[in-house]
Amino acid sequence: MTDDHRDSALAAAVARAFAADGALAEVDAGYRPRDAQQRMAQAVAEAIDADEVLVAEAGTGVGKTFAYLVPALLSGKRVMVSTATKSLQDQLFLRDLPRLAGALKVPVTIALLKGRASYLCTHRLAQARDDAQLSDRLSLRTLAKIEAWAQGTRTGDLAELDGLDERSPAIPLVTSTRENCLGSDCPQYRGCHVMKARRDAMAADVVVVNHHLFFADLALRDTGLAELLPSVEVAVFDEAHQLPEAGVAFLGTVLGSSQAIDLARDLLAAGLSQARGLQPWNDLAAAIDRAARDLRIASAGTLRDVRATIKLRWEERAGRPGFESALAALGQVARDASLALDAVAEIGPDFDRLAERARVLSQRASGFALEAAPGRVRWIDLGAQSVRLVESPLDVREAMRTQIEAAPRAWVFTSATLGAEPTLAWFTAQAGLDDARTLRVDSPFDYPSHARLYVPQRFPKPNEPGHPSAVARLGAACARAAGGRSFVLTTTLRSLSQVAEALRDDFAAAGDGIEVLVQGSAPKRALLQRFVSASRAVLVGSQSFWEGIDVPGDALQCVVIDKLPFPPPNDPLVEARVKRIESEGRSAFGEYFVAEAAISLKQGAGRLIRSETDRGLLVICDPRLAASSYGRQLIAALPPMTRVPDEAGALDWLAEIAATPA
């Protein structure tokens, strides 16, 4: 870091903006300068000035969003901000960026760019009206709601529709994918919402995207970022801890039964409506549909009654005659379909695109019949009615290095959790950012005074049969003391259902009147709204509730975690990573399992204290945390909460804060 960096015009402008009488104070009467926030903002300004790579961990309450947005806006450079979730995208675009641009008096244009699945496709909406798949009343009502909204929307962003369930089967029918989009051949191309969003992004000074879109573009060059990224001078990745896994998901290759079934549906619809009698459309569609379902059956093998998606090792099915023949059959019927579609391609653009989809499906089936490429791992995602064959890289190091070396620009990666060690090596090693400048800014919250940590020592071990019921009993006791106001976070969906059922039984037997809300019983947003509005409630959630949830104030005063969140050792991707670490003579348990658990634990614990006045109790129902050497390492990764020695002390603390609201 040079004096030129510290004394730059940008650094001075950032300092003025964050001053007690600066631009932020003028528009927010409650604004107070925070040393941690200003420290991070100056580091971001220096990275922008020098076109450097900065990795910054900012604890809860630092105000990292403003810490990177203020220098980015004041720099006058073209900025891309990427987030892990569409909800944070919307927050930045609709609230934070307009508010800050106004406060700083910076005349910038701002654009929001999401993936195709977020935008209405008017061409497919017209086709969906005649789709026989939507036979249930709820889906038909959803379609009618979308049609009414479509008449007035300017953006086509489905997030505008209040109460729209993201799980609705109507949504895939009214949105496009790379495979089924007709591009410039589409009759609705001039009014296409996806293309308008991309044009707006190309013309904007600041563009808000998400990690999935970023990596999908690296893999497919089909999201609009390929044209945008070369002109970006500042790239910021918020919630960067999710970047490595998002990249792994999108840089791989997938062959799914749903892809094939969607192709069969679209082929039949186009064939019967535009080329009836010219090809055996019913037979072709039925053959693809049957082959897709046969592949799912062959992948399941002897497994029955699969409810939640499970991962199978590739070696468990590869080489078996039934699986190999099912894969070959799907490739063959896809080839047959592509030939039939090529024969009528001149009739309209739908058939040319369908033929390309069929060819890709056939090629992927052939590819999965061969050995995986070096440095990649394969597995099978088996669901209740579908299957996905996946080939993936082990990390995103190479992809990120390629991007960073492509052109000089500033790169800023930030999150509340990027590592348990000062060097933030957990993140930098995975992302190929070994030479990046790192910064760690601790939370300004008074954790020792406002938070307590309880780790029960005389407690069933996580692998013992009585563990879920013991978690529920302790969770119920905490919820009674807190008057509800509790999250119970589990590491698996199986534990989720067991704990939730035991909690309901416990509350019902005692007549407590505490409502149990369970992940999956309603959309995530609806569950959170119900939790906040209910007078006495406990929310039981698994992975999706460990992070990205913000419930400040007295509504949440207790977080119970069922066990240490180690990666599942039998997960094929985990196994491949462990094998690589051990082949290099390193300890997989210490370097991978403990490091991953520390990050997840920090995320789960981070749900508890969300503001300076929040108070609460964190309970971790895993005696290994107190008894093992790595337990001390994991506790050190948590915020500095005051330990309570026993259950009585934990319940007394909850009763105290429940009786004296902040």
Side-chain angles (χ1 to χ4, degrees):
M1 189 193 313
T2 68
D3 290 340
D4 289 341
H5 290 177
R6 281 193 290 267
D7 298 335
S8 72
L10 177 57
V14 169
R16 288 194 297 272
F18 282 104
D21 57 351
L24 299 183
E26 289 179 9
V27 296
D28 182 359
Y31 172 76
R32 288 183 298 140
R34 285 176 275 184
D35 290 341
Q37 186 179 48
Q38 293 181 54
R39 184 181 166 207
M40 177 176 170
Q42 287 297 336
V44 173
E46 291 164 12
I48 292 173
D49 273 338
D51 284 341
E52 290 179 341
V53 181
L54 172 68
V55 177
E57 181 181 272
T60 306
V62 165
K64 63 179 169 62
T65 304
F66 280 23
Y68 66 72
L69 285 182
V70 168
L73 289 171
L74 289 174
S75 72
K77 295 185 176 183
R78 194 159 198 220
V79 179
M80 181 192 76
V81 181
S82 180
T83 76
T85 59
K86 288 185 284 187
S87 60
L88 182 54
Q89 263 191 286
D90 291 333
Q91 176 187 312
L92 288 169
F93 176 71
L94 297 172
R95 190 186 76 185
D96 294 337
L97 276 165
R99 179 184 174 194
L100 273 180
L104 299 170
K105 298 180 175 58
V106 179
V108 295
T109 55
I110 305 165
L112 177 68
L113 184 60
K114 299 179 180 178
R116 289 180 177 277
S118 295
Y119 297 101
L120 173 72
C121 173
T122 51
H123 176 60
R124 287 180 61 78
L125 175 62
Q127 294 178 324
R129 296 186 185 103
D130 303 320
D131 198 302
Q133 283 199 341
L134 291 182
S135 55
D136 65 286
R137 291 183 179 179
L138 181 59
S139 294
L140 290 171
R141 283 200 300 268
T142 299
L143 182 61
K145 184 177 181 180
I146 292 172
E147 285 190 280
W149 162 78
Q151 304 305 312
T153 181
R154 287 182 59 255
T155 68
D157 188 345
L158 292 170
E160 294 177 357
L161 264 170
D162 288 334
L164 180 64
D165 188 345
E166 294 182 352
R167 303 168 296 181
S168 171
I171 292 178
L173 299 183
V174 300
T175 56
S176 69
T177 64
R178 177 176 180 268
E179 288 76 18
N180 62 35
C181 175
L182 301 180
S184 58
D185 292 325
C186 178
Q188 304 292 332
Y189 183 74
R190 290 189 63 185
C192 174
H193 292 301
V194 171
M195 295 310 299
K196 181 182 183 301
R198 293 181 180 180
R199 288 193 298 270
D200 289 347
M202 287 300 299
D205 302 305
V206 180
V207 184
V208 184
V209 302
N210 60 61
H211 303 343
H212 290 170
L213 193 71
F214 176 77
F215 280 111
D217 191 83
L218 296 191
L220 305 172
R221 288 292 187 267
D222 183 57
T223 69
L225 287 184
E227 297 82 16
L228 172 68
L229 195 57
S231 64
V232 166
E233 298 168 284
V234 180
V236 180
F237 291 83
D238 200 347
E239 301 177 309
H241 66 282
Q242 293 195 32
L243 198 64
E245 293 306 315
V248 165
F250 275 87
L251 295 176
T253 301
V254 176
L255 172 64
S257 60
S258 296
Q259 292 171 271
I261 292 170
D262 288 347
L263 172 64
R265 180 196 63 210
D266 293 345
L267 176 151
L268 183 61
L272 295 183
S273 63
Q274 301 178 50
R276 184 181 290 271
L278 298 183
Q279 294 289 346
W281 302 117
N282 283 296
D283 292 344
L284 289 167
I288 296 172
D289 188 283
R290 182 169 56 252
R293 298 182 193 281
D294 286 347
L295 180 61
R296 193 267 166 202
I297 292 170
S299 300
T302 58
L303 295 173
R304 297 290 181 268
D305 195 27
V306 176
R307 298 182 182 180
T309 300
I310 59 174
K311 279 188 176 182
L312 301 175
R313 297 181 185 89
W314 184 255
E315 294 74 18
E316 293 181 58
R317 297 293 180 265
R320 294 193 177 188
F323 179 76
E324 298 292 342
S325 61
L327 190 57
L330 179 58
Q332 183 60 54
V333 296
R335 279 191 291 277
D336 294 342
S338 70
L339 294 173
L341 289 159
D342 281 334
V344 296
E346 73 280 357
I347 293 177
D350 284 313
F351 295 104
D352 193 44
R353 200 70 187 116
L354 284 165
E356 177 61 21
R357 289 169 63 185
R359 277 191 290 273
V360 169
L361 190 67
S362 176
Q363 290 165 2
R364 289 188 180 178
S366 299
F368 275 103
L370 305 174
E371 291 293 322
R376 297 172 76 87
V377 60
R378 284 181 179 174
W379 69 86
I380 300 171
D381 286 332
L382 181 67
Q385 298 179 340
S386 63
V387 67
R388 294 169 73 246
L389 313 185
V390 185
E391 181 176 307
S392 162
L394 299 188
D395 55 43
V396 298
R397 290 177 60 87
E398 184 177 345
M400 289 304 302
R401 281 175 176 166
T402 300
Q403 287 301 307
I404 288 172
E405 293 170 0
R409 65 171 62 91
W411 297 81
V412 178
F413 301 87
T414 185
S415 170
T417 48
L418 290 175
E421 63 292 303
T423 60
L424 307 180
W426 174 85
F427 176 76
T428 57
Q430 290 188 77
L433 304 176
D434 308 275
D435 298 328
R437 176 187 170 194
T438 58
L439 173 71
R440 195 173 197 177
V441 184
D442 291 334
S443 170
F445 294 162
D446 185 0
Y447 283 99
S449 297
H450 290 178
R452 301 289 184 270
L453 170 64
Y454 173 47
V455 182
Q457 298 186 38
R458 294 182 179 179
F459 204 83
K461 294 178 181 178
N463 60 351
E464 294 178 349
H467 186 262
S469 59
V471 172
R473 184 205 63 76
L474 182 53
C478 290
R480 288 191 189 96
R485 311 187 209 189
S486 302
F487 277 7
V488 178
L489 302 178
T490 68
T491 53
T492 65
L493 291 174
R494 181 181 180 186
S495 296
L496 175 97
S497 58
Q498 293 174 328
V499 171
E501 183 179 355
L503 277 170
R504 284 199 181 103
D505 292 343
D506 196 314
F507 292 144
D512 290 309
I514 297 177
E515 185 177 4
V516 179
L517 306 170
V518 185
Q519 175 185 325
S521 62
K524 186 175 178 180
R525 183 179 300 178
L527 281 175
L528 284 171
Q529 289 172 343
R530 176 59 188 162
F531 175 80
V532 172
S533 62
S535 58
R536 292 161 62 84
V538 174
L539 193 153
V540 186
S542 191
Q543 186 175 8
S544 64
F545 281 86
W546 281 66
E547 57 183 285
I549 304 297
D550 190 16
V551 186
D554 295 333
L556 177 62
Q557 294 188 332
C558 181
V559 172
V560 178
I561 292 175
D562 71 335
K563 61 182 177 181
L564 296 178
F566 290 116
N570 57 350
D571 181 292
L573 184 56
V574 172
E575 288 182 334
R577 287 170 172 168
V578 167
K579 185 176 180 180
R580 181 174 65 180
I581 291 170
E582 292 180 340
S583 71
E584 297 169 354
R586 297 182 288 136
S587 167
F589 183 75
E591 292 190 26
Y592 181 66
F593 286 98
V594 174
E596 291 287 328
I599 294 296
S600 296
L601 204 57
K602 285 177 71 173
Q603 283 291 338
R607 300 316 97 215
L608 185 63
I609 305 296
R610 306 299 299 173
S611 74
E612 291 181 350
T613 58
D614 282 5
R615 295 175 297 169
L617 171 73
L618 174 66
V619 182
I620 304 175
C621 303
D622 193 328
R624 294 175 296 179
L625 194 61
S628 65
S629 57
Y630 61 81
R632 291 190 293 274
Q633 183 178 341
L634 293 174
I635 289 175
L638 294 171
M641 304 177 181
T642 300
R643 296 278 296 271
V644 291
D646 51 35
E647 183 175 333
L651 299 181
D652 286 346
W653 169 247
L654 285 174
E656 177 185 336
I657 60 177
T660 56

